[in-house]
Amino acid sequence: MVDLRSDTQTRPTEAMRAAMARAEVGDEQRFEDPTVLALQERVADLLGQQAAVFLPSGTMCNAIAFRLHLGSGGEEALVGQTAHPLRFEAGGPAAISGAMVRAIGPADGRFTADEVRAAAFDPLDRYAPRTRLVSVEQTTNIGGGRVWPLEQVEAVLGVAAELGLRAHLDGARLLNAVVASGVPASAYAEGFHTAWIDFSKGLGAPVGACLAGSEDLIEEAWRFKQMWGGAMRQSGILAAAALYALDHHVDRLADDHVNARLLAEGLADVPGVEVDPAAVETNIVVFGVADAAGLTAALAERDVYVGALDAQRVRAVTHLDVDLAQVERAVAAVRDVLTSP
Ligand SMILES: *Cc1c(COP(=O)(O)O)cnc(C)c1O
């Protein structure tokens, strides 16, 4: 089987499971779990923020951050066209964070400082929702795993600061951007009020994400973690997997990026596939075909799994459990489906 549906499909390795089994644990809610405390400190340092809180998912990181920034209701967040909170959080921004969410910028998800300036409402306009937050997704998931250049992030943060907006970094795949660009995570996260990374994507852990920010914001985040049922107990067993991933699974993301590029190059040669290999910067390949659902179903019969994004676009994601031979098998399967009479 070749599973390219998502980098969430990784299974914990034997070594990761051993690290989990050895983890020292306690009650995280009482700040008595040494492994969770170590992870939180590690992520705060990595992102150059004062503090961090371990959460069950990246979705909860976004939900809590949006709630922290958009607390009073009737306020809006500006996000990229393909942002996760728009499409994959079950309307949570509206239902639990009290947020309006407005998409700006191009189809790849990377908006500019000028687009933020043009979109933000005048705070004195009492007819308009109050624009309060800008959220940057690094890398852009559905946008094709694109990396925001550091200068573009800094320009967006500059305009946000000028307009008095908060800034949030959805860093589900921030470390992919770090490995692809050589820019440190702390440089990408600098200037954001909140930023987070996911452990259950390319890093290969089974569960968890960490939201970082100022001491005050993270203290308040703990309140929502409790309110929304995200507070855990001996979660050091999960934090141990995350720490293991930070030690052993970051540099190897480069392999996933090479495999994704090779996948795109292989697909570019298949008649009926539209893809620009040069646009593949990290571990996500989005390609066009005439019938995405048909291709996805035919590939599944050949034990190759990808995801249809819409009628004519397919997403394939490389990860820890996909090697070069499997990438080659996937390309051969796509060729077989699209070129057999
Ligand atoms: C996966 C993802 C999330 C949500 O993370 P989960 O841990 O799956 O809840 C948020 N944002 C982006 C960009 C993602 O890819």
Side-chain angles (χ1 to χ4, degrees):
M1 160 169 186
V2 183
D3 196 342
L4 297 165
R5 289 174 297 177
S6 175
D7 48 6
T8 55
Q9 299 306 306
T10 54
R11 311 276 165 98
T13 61
E14 283 306 319
M16 180 181 278
R17 288 169 193 255
M20 295 171 77
R22 284 197 297 276
E24 258 189 81
V25 298
D27 186 339
E28 65 145 54
Q29 296 181 26
R30 296 173 190 271
F31 301 103
E32 289 172 4
D33 189 305
T35 312
V36 171
L37 294 174
L39 177 65
Q40 291 173 163
E41 207 165 298
R42 175 94 176 256
V43 172
D45 280 352
L46 180 70
L47 300 182
Q49 300 277 348
Q50 286 177 352
V53 55
F54 185 45
L55 293 170
S57 71
T59 299
M60 194 177 280
C61 291
N62 277 341
I64 289 179
F66 276 39
R67 181 65 183 76
L68 291 173
H69 299 310
L70 301 151
S72 68
E75 299 182 329
E76 70 166 358
L78 302 178
V79 305
Q81 297 289 344
T82 58
H84 197 274
L86 278 177
R87 172 65 179 81
F88 299 109
E89 295 180 9
I96 59 176
S97 304
M100 294 188 70
V101 183
R102 182 154 53 111
I104 62 170
D108 74 8
R110 296 179 297 180
F111 50 81
T112 64
D114 285 345
E115 284 163 337
V116 172
R117 192 189 297 284
F121 289 122
D122 177 351
L124 298 179
D125 177 353
R126 79 182 147 84
Y127 295 93
R130 192 169 287 156
T131 310
R132 271 299 279 163
L133 178 70
V134 170
S135 181
V136 165
E137 190 175 291
Q138 177 79 296
T139 65
T140 64
N141 172 358
I142 303 304
R146 302 306 303 263
V147 178
W148 291 64
L150 184 59
E151 314 74 65
Q152 191 172 338
V153 173
E154 288 171 346
V156 162
L157 290 172
V159 168
E162 199 186 300
L163 299 175
L165 309 180
R166 295 278 187 95
H168 172 67
L169 178 61
D170 175 338
R173 295 184 182 80
L174 176 65
L175 296 180
N176 291 85
V178 166
V179 168
S181 66
V183 173
S186 57
Y188 275 136
E190 191 179 346
F192 286 94
H193 297 86
T194 46
W196 63 272
I197 58 171
D198 210 319
F199 305 113
S200 72
K201 301 277 167 82
L203 292 182
V207 178
C210 252
L211 175 69
S214 67
E215 302 271 7
D216 286 352
L217 280 173
I218 296 307
E219 175 65 26
E220 191 65 6
W222 269 98
R223 182 173 173 77
F224 290 108
K225 175 175 173 169
Q226 179 67 32
M227 186 187 295
W228 295 347
M232 298 178 279
R233 296 293 182 189
Q234 288 73 30
S235 54
I237 208 153
L238 301 174
L243 283 166
Y244 181 89
L246 289 173
D247 285 336
H248 300 281
H249 290 173
V250 175
D251 293 343
R252 65 149 307 285
L253 292 170
D255 302 342
D256 298 341
H257 300 173
V258 169
N259 284 339
R261 182 64 78 94
L262 290 170
L263 175 65
E265 286 169 356
L267 291 173
D269 278 341
V270 177
V273 172
E274 219 170 294
V275 65
D276 175 11
V280 176
E281 297 178 275
T282 59
N283 67 328
I284 298 175
V285 180
V286 174
F287 59 97
V289 290
D291 175 9
L295 174 67
T296 302
L299 287 176
E301 281 169 20
R302 289 159 175 79
D303 237 10
V304 172
Y305 297 87
V306 295
L309 289 181
D310 54 35
Q312 299 194 314
R313 284 187 316 150
V314 176
R315 189 186 73 152
V317 186
T318 55
H319 53 77
L320 188 57
D321 291 347
V322 174
D323 62 20
L324 179 57
Q326 289 176 305
V327 165
E328 287 167 352
R329 258 195 65 205
V331 173
V334 172
R335 180 183 297 280
D336 184 41
V337 172
L338 293 183
T339 61
S340 51

